[in-house]
Amino acid sequence: MVAGATGYAGRELITILRRHPGARIARLMSSGRSAKEPFPIEHSHASLRGPARRGGMERHETWCTPLDLDEVTPSDVDLIFLATPHETSENCAAALLDRGLRVIDLSGAFRLKDAGAYPRWYGFEHHAGKELAEAVYGLTELNAVAIREARLVANPGCYATSVILALAPLARHGWLDREAGVVCDSKSGVSGAGRAPSDKLHFPEVNENCRAYGLFTHRHVPEMLQALGLEEEGFTFTPHLLPITRGILSTVYVRLARQTNLDEIASLYRDFYAHAPLVRVYPEGSLPEIQPVAHTNYADLGFALDRTGRRLVVVSALDNLGKGAAGQAVESMNLMFGFPWEMALV
Ligand SMILES: NC(=O)c1ccc[n+]([C@@H]2O[C@H](COP(=O)([O-])OP(=O)(O)OC[C@H]3O[C@@H](n4cnc5c(N)ncnc54)[C@H](OP(=O)(O)O)[C@@H]3O)[C@@H](O)[C@H]2O)c1
């Protein structure tokens, strides 16, 4: 089941789940604010219009209803994707888990282990401490074993996914000069902000423009620090808004703890992601870009090293709605239900 079906991440989930041989969509739900009555999801997303042939999909797979937790039972739902705002997810998760359902939450509601961090970074008090403690951070490349058994998966943020994948091999193997700090310069397409219109996301404001925002305050910072074991003082993350619909490019600047060469760096990354079917490590001399990952579920990584062998730049690209949201959530579903990791994603 998909809650938040009328949103951008919801649309992406439905698209992937419809082609997934092991999944059947049991329910689609949204806030019910704009429509109190059930409506065909194609009224919200034209791309989800079914084929003209007779006997197509069943009504529950294509009609969207207002979110009603009483309608969700383990008799016809195994897993619910919450592609909803953070506070909605926080409010819903406990009731769903109590009912015996498994949950993958695409919001930030269960990503941070410290409930006390929520007021500062998310602007609300967290009241689901038990669920927060239980939640598994859904970065499949780092947490596949725990995800397989999880009842509640906190799907990572889109920027966070691009930065953590870029830095994890270095951070986990002690290659970072932590004193020197890390600088992450990230750029995202506008769909990363969701579907709700706003002045700052208005076409004339975004088109032919590039804007930095959220300096030192972006809410993906704490989950990056948590996953990488880094301190806030040595970590600078600056997101930018690009005049494109989807995609993220992160350029990450680090100083290494010791001198090395590109062959060693390449081996480190290839070994680290050898088990991960959706991470592509680029050969020397080529760097990831947004176009090759847009509309895919891949994360692409590449790097360049300076002549001293100490200054490394890692470039990371992914689709914010694919690997950065719905694709990654379906990866977790695949692990939780014993499907091949990349099923329906390549
Ligand atoms: N966009 C991305 O690239 C991206 C990437 C990673 C994670 N995420 C996260 O995924 C979640 C969804 O993001 P999005 O971009 O798809 O947002 P969106 O386009 O704004 O869609 C939000 C969805 O949540 C529903 N909703 C809002 N308030 C609700 C309520 N009180 N009860 C039930 N449903 C409610 C909306 O329904 P109505 O249409 O009826 O209002 C809509 O279906 C967010 O938590 C976001 O942070 C997004």
Side-chain angles (χ1 to χ4, degrees):
M1 172 187 149
V2 177
T6 50
Y8 286 157
R11 180 190 64 197
E12 207 65 19
L13 277 168
I14 297 165
T15 304
I16 297 170
L17 292 172
R18 279 187 178 178
R19 66 171 184 251
H20 195 296
R24 184 185 65 90
I25 295 175
R27 295 256 193 294
L28 297 175
M29 291 185 180
S30 65
S31 76
R33 273 192 292 264
S34 54
K36 301 285 174 226
E37 297 301 318
F39 62 92
I41 192 65
E42 67 210 41
H43 288 186
S44 181
H45 303 299
S47 68
L48 297 179
R49 187 175 295 282
R53 65 183 157 74
R54 286 178 201 278
M57 282 170 288
E58 292 184 41
R59 185 180 162 104
H60 60 80
E61 296 175 84
T62 56
W63 284 61
C64 189
T65 58
L67 182 64
D68 178 356
L69 296 188
D70 293 335
E71 286 281 307
V72 188
T73 60
S75 60
D76 63 348
V77 176
D78 299 307
L79 170 71
I80 175 163
F81 292 95
L82 295 174
T84 43
H86 317 292
E87 283 157 290
T88 309
S89 294
E90 192 234 1
N91 286 333
C92 294
L96 295 165
L97 294 174
D98 287 350
R99 221 162 284 177
L101 292 152
R102 295 173 93 179
V103 179
I104 298 177
D105 176 34
L106 280 76
S107 85
F110 295 98
R111 293 179 194 153
L112 308 183
K113 282 298 163 202
D114 176 11
Y118 275 88
R120 172 180 168 199
W121 294 100
Y122 281 87
F124 67 88
E125 294 280 346
H126 207 290
H127 300 293
K130 189 159 67 79
E131 291 70 28
L132 201 57
E134 173 178 349
V136 173
Y137 190 63
L139 199 86
T140 51
E141 287 75 15
L142 302 187
N143 292 337
V145 173
I147 291 169
R148 283 181 211 280
E149 303 302 322
R151 295 197 311 150
L152 172 58
V153 169
N155 208 51
C158 45
Y159 280 125
T161 302
S162 76
V163 168
I164 295 168
L165 290 176
L167 284 170
L170 302 171
R172 299 249 167 145
H173 286 279
W175 285 49
L176 286 180
D177 176 349
R178 290 170 185 252
E179 292 290 305
V182 173
V183 175
C184 312
D185 175 291
S186 294
K187 300 176 180 68
S188 173
V190 185
S191 64
R195 200 172 188 180
S198 74
D199 287 352
K200 290 219 174 265
L201 302 177
H202 194 38
F203 182 79
E205 307 295 329
V206 174
N207 186 39
E208 296 174 32
N209 199 3
C210 181
R211 178 196 306 143
Y213 67 99
L215 283 78
F216 297 116
T217 59
H218 195 278
R219 48 179 51 141
H220 289 181
V221 167
E223 64 180 281
M224 298 185 214
L225 299 175
Q226 181 179 273
L228 294 165
L230 298 176
E231 297 299 324
E232 189 178 347
E233 289 68 31
F235 190 81
T236 307
F237 168 72
T238 302
H240 301 75
L241 193 64
L242 283 181
I244 59 174
T245 302
R246 48 200 289 168
I248 287 180
L249 188 89
S250 292
T251 312
V252 180
Y253 304 82
V254 302
R255 187 169 165 79
L256 299 173
R258 64 174 177 82
Q259 195 178 28
T260 185
N261 58 53
L262 265 183
D263 285 345
E264 267 195 312
I265 295 285
S267 296
L268 174 74
Y269 277 77
R270 288 190 196 290
D271 291 350
F272 195 85
Y273 291 118
H275 67 296
L278 296 166
V279 174
R280 303 188 292 198
V281 178
Y282 276 39
E284 184 181 346
S286 57
L287 292 171
E289 300 176 20
I290 285 180
Q291 275 189 4
V293 292
H295 299 276
T296 81
N297 295 290
Y298 287 111
D300 286 1
L301 299 173
F303 20 71
L305 191 66
D306 82 335
R307 290 169 54 177
T308 69
R310 293 287 298 270
R311 270 190 310 151
L312 180 73
V313 177
V314 187
V315 178
S316 165
L318 52 75
D319 184 316
N320 54 293
L321 293 171
K323 179 67 177 168
Q328 186 161 207
V330 173
E331 277 183 68
S332 283
M333 180 192 85
N334 286 341
L335 295 175
M336 292 161 85
F337 289 87
F339 300 123
W341 183 322
E342 68 273 46
M343 185 172 262
L345 298 171
V346 290

